[in-house]
Amino acid sequence: MRTLATPLAPLLAIAAILPALALAGTAHAQATEERLSGPEVPGFTIGYAAASDTQSIREEVPEGESTQRWSRLITTQRFGGLATRITPKKYAERVMRAMRKRCSGVEIDDTRSFMLAGRKAYQFEVECPVGATGRREAFIMLAVAGVNDMHVKQVAFRGQIVDSGLVWGRRYLDAVTFCLEGSQYCAR
């Protein structure tokens, strides 16, 4: 059975840092509903989804592809309680550090801190010339600190579409917002 930390090459960094960020063993109780909200992507389907009290993951791929064989991948994750212990920038720095160890020649660009719907956020881009599949891989990651949880949305690309994918991914993430139930940002 697959765990919530996905084995996909660009996401290995996330899985690698989870033990270092060890979530509390107690169930996470959240008084309000919080999430990242982004546009639906025509032609994409849910390839994998799982959730527990402490975390969740949803992976979307183009129709006809799978979470093992994909050209584009949109991943949405929630790490319960993590935003009370680490900032989005610190979370991103750990992912970037892990990627530097895993990919020879990795390039990390466009790192920036900002506010998204009144919440601290951090976004960055990673390009690996030769990923675990032997092909060029890249991803853009957005981390947002909710009231309690760390919310992460990532778009990843493989092979020849990396350049056009990065442009598409930036536009997609520009349309993502943080939604706290009952707030003005949920309407988007």
Side-chain angles (χ1 to χ4, degrees), residues 65-83:
E65 296 184 10
S66 71
T67 56
Q68 289 74 39
R69 300 184 67 115
W70 51 269
S71 58
R72 294 178 189 228
L73 174 72
I74 300 171
T75 304
T76 306
Q77 293 178 285
R78 175 189 61 83
F79 301 102
L82 188 57

Side-chain angles (χ1 to χ4, degrees), residues 88-149:
K89 182 178 181 181
K90 290 290 182 190
Y91 175 85
E93 287 171 348
R94 290 182 182 192
V95 173
M96 289 184 277
R97 196 168 34 253
M99 286 306 300
R100 285 185 182 101
K101 291 179 183 176
R102 285 174 175 68
C103 177
S104 178
V106 69
E107 291 184 29
I108 300 173
D109 296 310
D110 296 327
T111 58
R112 63 186 177 108
S113 290
F114 57 101
M115 298 298 284
L116 180 66
R119 308 302 307 176
K120 288 183 180 178
Y122 195 85
Q123 186 170 314
F124 65 100
E125 298 180 14
V126 172
E127 187 174 334
C128 183
V130 181
T133 62
R135 301 184 327 181
R136 184 174 169 209
E137 297 183 359
F139 67 86
I140 307 169
M141 181 179 286
L142 168 66
V144 181
V147 175
N148 296 299
D149 303 342

Side-chain angles (χ1 to χ4, degrees), residues 5-181:
T6 180
L8 298 172
L11 303 175
L12 280 175
I14 297 168
I17 66 166
L18 285 179
L21 300 176
L23 298 175
T26 59
H28 170 69
Q30 190 170 324
T32 57
E33 187 67 29
E34 57 183 57
R35 62 181 160 64
L36 289 181
S37 177
E40 287 192 34
V41 181
F44 273 62
T45 185
I46 298 172
Y48 179 75
S52 71
D53 288 344
T54 58
Q55 57 184 319
S56 65
I57 184 170
R58 181 172 126 164
E59 297 173 327
E60 300 170 74
V61 294
E63 291 174 1
E65 296 184 10
S66 71
T67 56
Q68 289 74 39
R69 300 184 67 115
W70 51 269
S71 58
R72 294 178 189 228
L73 174 72
I74 300 171
T75 304
T76 306
Q77 293 178 285
R78 175 189 61 83
F79 301 102
L82 188 57
T84 63
R85 296 188 302 278
I86 191 170
T87 66
K89 182 178 181 181
K90 290 290 182 190
Y91 175 85
E93 287 171 348
R94 290 182 182 192
V95 173
M96 289 184 277
R97 196 168 34 253
M99 286 306 300
R100 285 185 182 101
K101 291 179 183 176
R102 285 174 175 68
C103 177
S104 178
V106 69
E107 291 184 29
I108 300 173
D109 296 310
D110 296 327
T111 58
R112 63 186 177 108
S113 290
F114 57 101
M115 298 298 284
L116 180 66
R119 308 302 307 176
K120 288 183 180 178
Y122 195 85
Q123 186 170 314
F124 65 100
E125 298 180 14
V126 172
E127 187 174 334
C128 183
V130 181
T133 62
R135 301 184 327 181
R136 184 174 169 209
E137 297 183 359
F139 67 86
I140 307 169
M141 181 179 286
L142 168 66
V144 181
V147 175
N148 296 299
D149 303 342
M150 185 69 65
H151 300 271
V152 177
K153 189 159 293 262
Q154 174 177 298
V155 288
F157 315 94
R158 277 187 180 151
Q160 304 223 0
I161 67 155
V162 167
D163 292 330
S164 62
L166 287 169
V167 171
W168 178 85
R170 288 179 199 119
R171 280 189 298 225
Y172 174 80
L173 288 176
D174 283 347
V176 170
T177 193
F178 176 79
C179 178
L180 183 60
E181 203 59 46

